[in-house]
């Protein structure tokens, strides 16, 4: 699995052959900087579909596998300079744990879509597997890949906002109003099935993104939370609307809001952080601007602009274009990959790396996300009573 | 107290002589349409200050009184065609009940700033007094006076949004970061004193506005709520940051958020309503636009525009200018007055009116606001447990 | 015509009784601060209509006159403490000169709507009359009354933008698409009639506002201009769309754009100023924010906020409310009046004043506006050739 | 030069090895959809630099050439299934013509940065070469690649805006304020040198983009234009600020504005189109939204959303992600490539294609752009007199 410097890493995609778009996102994001090439895939749990889908991804027929097990077996037997370096997992939630663990045990690095898995036992197993195999594991909480979220994190870590007293992260979508339960290949059909999706509905699909972003940006850790959630759609039983009030360490208050039933809102993730010196706000749908405010001062608009006087090191490193040449979803997603690639190259070169310092979301972030879902479900079942973290 | 049609009503202002600006707001808003004139005042609880402040308000010295009692006494003795028709109460919260009740018992209509009072007993007394005296009572939850909030209310009442499933009302300010506890005449100094302000800090000052607006626009009623609130400023003990999760009738979820510790946010009241057919959002600081969204459709920006094809009757009635000629805070505030004047003229002409159908916030809204504060405080004291309404 | 300090000035309104809204704007703006009261009017050139309209304005029947001449005659004969102090002229353009000159010659101050008049001869006559009578004359280029335009002017005067190299002022509306030439009382019907409106159509109606704002804010003076204009509506022959390229002194480039044929744009006046140190932009429909930019720095949003660290003296003086409590069209219009009132009180008290330093638009600004229209028309007639100022 | 379907096309990059970023943009955009791979390059006119830069682009040393001539020679001799299919030209303007003509004459397709060349003779030669060689030629006026600009074009072609009466396209930047004439490798250093850049400064760099976008979206053709331009920077003699007033066919008025001296504006290209039925506005820095307005109707925000009810076929085809997952600069740039690839595959398969119907900017658009620059320069030299197209 060695790889010459400057040579692209070899990627296998697991999942992504269905109606959803996230498989294509992984393929595009991973290869955006031409640091990786997609050479293998097990794109569907249906072998015929898997092979049929491969052409659209530019995967040669002989490396379009009928299942992830087949892929891991076959790739393991290829010579080191042909074999894939990593697998990207874009399958329904309930399969992440088995696939990721098998891949890492077979010696591959893994990039996995979120939520990491559906329950704390699986989450612990993934954490253990990362530790025992020493593989790189990255979770695509892709919104933390936006340069201005990196900037926000650094500003807060540097104390520019003072002590953080509150964070509000809100992720609202409306597509569930258009859900057609009869459609066979409906986008996100499995997301309504508790067996495939897990018990957390929109909480898992979007709520965990909001929670992760709040944690990533502020560096705060939860001590307790309470939650209320509802299921307003007639087409499923999982939550599609909810709030979680979080007691973070140092006394900060968090409010995480999620919805997939807010008409006409597309992918509206936003975050607001209040500190004792300043406050900031950012919104994913206009990701190239962040607003920083302090009492009595002009509101400052920070652009994603690597040439500006104010851009922080991690923000600069996450940019590909000068200010005013907007970057967006793919680039942020690609930043998660780009950061993970650095560690993959280190591991493949026999070097060590510090998992706790990764800018990309780690297995620990994945465990936290599963814990967040679990505690929210517990609280909702207990009439919104506080749950210790 | 009779008044010829087209002749301005006569107004007395109680409070407003201090460092705050709300007294001037009442004076300007009440007279904006030249349907009222400010002729009398008891502008401070300090008689000398009261008289000194009168000149700046254009009040003649002989009607600048040293106390509200003096004002009510003296005005009662004036002939009907000179005597004030109504009093406007812009004093600290704990005094509202006594002043309003005394004024109504003396035969005057009353317009009162919010929150109506500090506890449910007082609130009940005010409700009783309104009923027994038959006077007009209006509470200046002024944000409901914005034309587009009237439009939102009518659209929802007409079913244009379908069933309402959720409402999020957020009111964030940051001025408490600049609070100087040493300053003698600090803006809102009494707002930090539980004895003058009541036990609800920012909850009463801004949270009740957000709650009222959510109720006004959606027409929903709370069944239960829980709350968490914090006191982050070092300069007082009252809450300055909080959330309340509200279970409205028909299963709708409400989230009321308030803060006076969010750096650089000035007066940022916003509301988002989700229905089964459409959703809307509006923000007080850009009050001439409202966003209406439905899945798959273009987002529609409704302007405050009485000549548009979509303006609703109450919205049209609340406009003074064509679209693009922005109206703002004073006009919304004035709309509360203008609506109340209609009822005042009816009462003064011996006609009846239906208090439950007023567009201006009524004593019942005031009771609801006090109940909201009380239940939030109860829940906060009970570790955020749900409280029945 | 004397007036005790703190006593309101007495106002007469000429025009305003028709379908337009500008008469009501004058009445509301002049009295907003309760520094004036509207006591007399000649609201229409039709005596019956004039008297009929008076009630809606709260004008007593005995001071509702049948013509402006009648008004000036009658008011002149009233005792000084009842007689009006000033007249506000809200009539079709071609009548401004006669009315204003007659009023000033009769000893009254005059506030006049724009454009000041329809030709340079009349403009000169108005200038002469102002000089010979010593009366206060204010022209309601109301957009210069916005606090942030005052702030922009001061910042530029103080050199905060460096040398000004360019200014772009754009005023686009779309209402002419709805013009119904059959309607008898159509809004702005006279605006399509060259005899009543003058030869400048939208150029006069909105273009002069844009030109004035550019001049007011930058302090620049034109040396030459060229223009192109079109008449796209089928319902009239006057221009409804145009551009003027202006060569300002010090080499600055100006672009003035006007349109009343831009669908769905309501009253969209905006200005952009480029300097060698910084640049700013502002838009009338969101008047409480101005954007200040410099290369490599965060964009700064200046709020209309008298308590901010950055508010300039003239901006502070033009505010009535704290930041976040939006002010809008009426308040800006009222600021023109409020500034003029200061000079009126000076004159009425026998004091001198410096007309060239007025913050409110003066007769000299009116002459400049008429010159701007004239030169644009000249250039358009000469195939867009440059015209010396 | 044959290529199996689904196999990536092979790309050579000429230029891009210097301080600018546009070479990397070409590389990323061309390969974004994994329909092309970058395999060869002549990245600098300095052979050593050219070879040194190749590694960063992932180009193998044996295909990193010392000059474009060397590249064309060597690639021509490679077998058809290894040889590049097309060259991308990201060099200073004055070299475009020679390189593109040589490449096409050698049998390669060409993608060329803008402006196409510096004078009309060269432009004609390029047009002739395209016609004689039958190669695909695409000019990267990349802003026309944004899905919503495709949507605008289709809406206008379908008559949804009625007849077009006016278009305003504005492209303002501010980076020239930071230009350091001493820096050896300054961004855009050659852009200040008339010999390398051509006589059109910002006019060529950004003005042509604005002109192209106006033409692309409206489908209008110029009949005449006048122009005024200035050189405000002390560091060069070319224009850095200008306006061109354009008389389009059917009587429409165009205003093209360009600046690279507007402090703090980054890459602010915007377009406004006025029709007799509706008007639209769009801004490159927030490219996922377009505003469509009609008198009396709510403003409609069209999102870049392939699943919306309103998305037009070309807009849908230009999207890679669902609404709310923002796309930006790279994707728009990639759309130019993606469209050109379709024609390249047709030509390489021996099929015919209709150059006049390409969605990607063609050599004819390039000629128009050079004509636009030439006529603006002519007019500026003739005291802004109208120039026939």
């Amino acid at each position: 699995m060695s790889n010459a410097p400057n040579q692209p890493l070899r990627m296998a995609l697991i999942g992504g052959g269905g109606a959803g778009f996230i498989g294509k996102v992984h393929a595009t994001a991973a290869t955006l900087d031409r640091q990786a090439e997609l050479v293998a895939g097990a794109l569907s749990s249906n072998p015929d579909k898997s092979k049929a889908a491969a052409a659209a991804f530019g995967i040669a027929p002989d490396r379009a596998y009928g299942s992830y097990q087949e892929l891991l077996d076959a790739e393991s037997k290829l010579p080191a300079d042909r074999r894939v370096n990593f697998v990207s997992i874009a399958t329904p939630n309930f399969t992440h744990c088995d696939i990721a663990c098998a891949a890492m045990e077979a010696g591959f690095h893994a990039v996995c879509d979120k939520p990491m898995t559906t329950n704390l036992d699986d989450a612990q197993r993934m954490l253990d597997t990362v530790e025992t195999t020493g593989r790189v594991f990255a979770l695509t909480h892709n919104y933390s890949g936006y340069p201005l979220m990196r900037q926000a994190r650094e500003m807060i870590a540097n104390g520019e906002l003072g002590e953080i007293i509150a964070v509000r992260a809100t992720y609202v979508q409306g597509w569930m109003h258009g859900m057609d339960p009869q459609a066979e290949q409906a986008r996100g059909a499995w997301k309504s099935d508790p067996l495939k999706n897990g018990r957390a509905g929109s909480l898992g699909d979007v709520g965990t993104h909001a929670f992760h972003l709040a944690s990533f940006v502020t560096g705060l850790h939860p001590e307790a939370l309470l939650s209320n959630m509802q299921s307003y759609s007639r087409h499923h039983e999982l939550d599609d609307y909810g709030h979680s009030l979080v007691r973070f360490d140092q006394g900060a208050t968090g409010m995480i809001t999620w919805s997939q039933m807010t008409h006409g809102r597309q992918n509206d993730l936003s975050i607001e952080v209040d500190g004792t010196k300043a406050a900031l706000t950012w919104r994913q749908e206009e990701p190239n601007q962040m607003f920083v405010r302090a009492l009595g001062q002009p509101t400052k608009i920070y652009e994603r602009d690597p040439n500006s006087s104010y851009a922080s090191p991690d923000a600069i490193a996450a940019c590909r274009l000068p200010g005013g040449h907007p970057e967006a979803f793919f680039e942020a997603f690609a930043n998660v990959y780009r950061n993970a690639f650095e560690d993959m190259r280190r591991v493949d070169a026999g070097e060590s790396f510090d998992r706790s310092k990764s800018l990309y979301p780690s297995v620990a972030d994945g465990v936290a996300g599963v814990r967040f879902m679990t505690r929210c479900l517990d609280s909702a079942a207990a009439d919104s009573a506080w749950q210790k973290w």
Side-chain angles (χ1 to χ4, degrees), chain A:
Chain A
M1 229 161 304
S2 72
N3 226 64
N6 281 323
Q7 249 205 307
L9 297 167
R10 289 172 300 279
M11 167 188 187
L13 178 61
I14 300 176
F21 66 94
I22 202 67
K24 293 191 189 70
V25 166
H26 279 273
T28 300
T31 64
L32 184 73
D33 299 305
R34 286 163 296 119
Q35 292 195 25
E37 53 190 5
L38 174 58
V39 297
L43 303 171
S44 169
S45 52
N46 172 321
D48 290 340
K49 281 190 189 169
S50 177
K51 296 189 178 189
F57 281 91
I59 296 171
D62 62 326
R63 291 175 89 176
Y65 301 100
S67 71
Y68 79 88
Q69 294 94 338
E70 194 186 319
L71 182 147
L72 298 177
D73 281 356
E75 290 290 325
S76 296
K77 292 170 188 154
L78 289 179
D81 64 353
R82 286 208 61 214
R83 186 192 306 167
V84 298
N85 301 82
F86 68 96
V87 302
S88 290
I89 303 168
T91 57
N93 303 341
F94 78 107
T95 65
H96 291 175
C97 178
D98 284 350
I99 299 173
C101 290
M104 290 188 283
E105 281 156 5
F108 301 103
H109 305 297
V111 177
C112 183
D113 218 281
K114 43 51 58 187
M116 190 168 80
T117 183
T118 61
N119 61 77
L120 280 168
D121 287 346
D122 278 1
Q124 184 63 43
R125 187 178 139 215
M126 294 174 86
L127 174 58
D128 293 345
T129 305
V130 168
E131 290 181 344
T132 54
T133 63
R135 297 295 90 189
V136 173
F137 178 90
L139 191 71
T140 51
H141 277 307
N142 51 295
Y143 300 111
S144 64
Y146 277 109
L148 286 172
M149 290 294 88
R150 305 272 173 101
Q151 170 103 25
R153 182 175 172 276
E154 285 179 291
M155 289 171 69
I156 289 170
N158 294 340
E160 293 182 41
L161 267 64
E163 284 173 55
I164 302 308
I165 57 177
V167 53
R168 298 175 293 283
T170 300
Y171 198 153
V172 291
Q173 300 181 327
W175 63 273
M176 279 202 176
H177 282 290
M179 209 162 50
D180 176 359
Q182 311 304 336
E184 205 173 325
Q185 278 278 0
R187 172 185 169 194
W190 60 262
K191 291 188 179 181
S192 303
D193 180 348
L195 294 180
K196 295 184 176 171
N197 179 83
R199 290 181 304 142
S202 300
L203 165 59
D205 204 26
V206 295
T208 51
H209 269 312
F211 172 75
H212 177 263
L213 195 63
S215 303
F216 174 81
V217 164
T218 64
L220 294 173
H221 297 95
E223 295 182 341
L225 63 75
L226 67 79
S227 182
N228 177 268
M229 57 187 92
Q230 304 290 334
S231 180
Y232 287 118
S233 169
R234 281 162 304 176
H235 298 317
H236 64 159
E237 290 174 18
L238 297 172
D239 68 284
D240 48 30
Y241 188 92
H243 294 285
S244 174
L245 182 62
V246 183
R247 199 181 295 145
F248 280 105
D249 50 3
Q250 302 164 33
T253 301
M255 172 54 64
I256 310 294
T257 299
W258 61 92
S259 167
Q260 294 184 313
M261 288 290 283
T262 300
H263 252 293
R265 298 287 270 278
Q266 300 199 306
N267 197 38
D268 207 345
L269 170 63
S270 63
I271 187 165
E272 307 189 357
V273 185
D274 298 346
T276 52
K277 289 187 183 167
L280 62 79
T281 63
W282 178 85
R283 186 169 168 261
Q284 189 269 148
E285 295 193 11
E286 293 177 2
N288 293 285
Q289 294 195 324
M290 178 169 69
F291 294 76
V292 181
R293 295 177 178 90
L295 179 66
Q297 302 302 316
T299 294
K300 290 181 187 169
I301 308 179
Y302 280 46
E303 299 276 341
R304 184 204 54 74
D305 178 0
N307 304 311
S308 70
S309 61
Y310 50 82
S312 63
D314 287 342
I316 292 171
C319 290
R320 287 164 186 79
L321 290 169
H325 299 73
E327 297 188 30
F329 186 87
F330 278 130
E331 290 89 335
F333 214 106
N335 284 335
V336 172
Y337 270 101
R338 194 153 78 174
N339 294 132
F341 290 164
E342 293 172 13
D343 278 346
M344 291 183 196
R345 290 188 190 270
R346 283 194 188 99
V347 170
D348 293 355
E351 295 168 21
S352 68
F353 74 105
D354 184 347
R355 207 168 57 234
S356 72
K357 293 200 173 149
S358 74
L359 263 179
Y360 59 88
S362 69
V363 70
D365 293 303
V367 174
V370 176
R371 193 177 303 277
F372 174 69
M373 295 191 292
T374 305
R375 293 295 172 260
C376 283
L377 288 161
D378 292 348
S379 177
D383 207 19
S384 303
W386 285 102
Q387 306 293 313
K388 281 201 181 150
W389 181 248

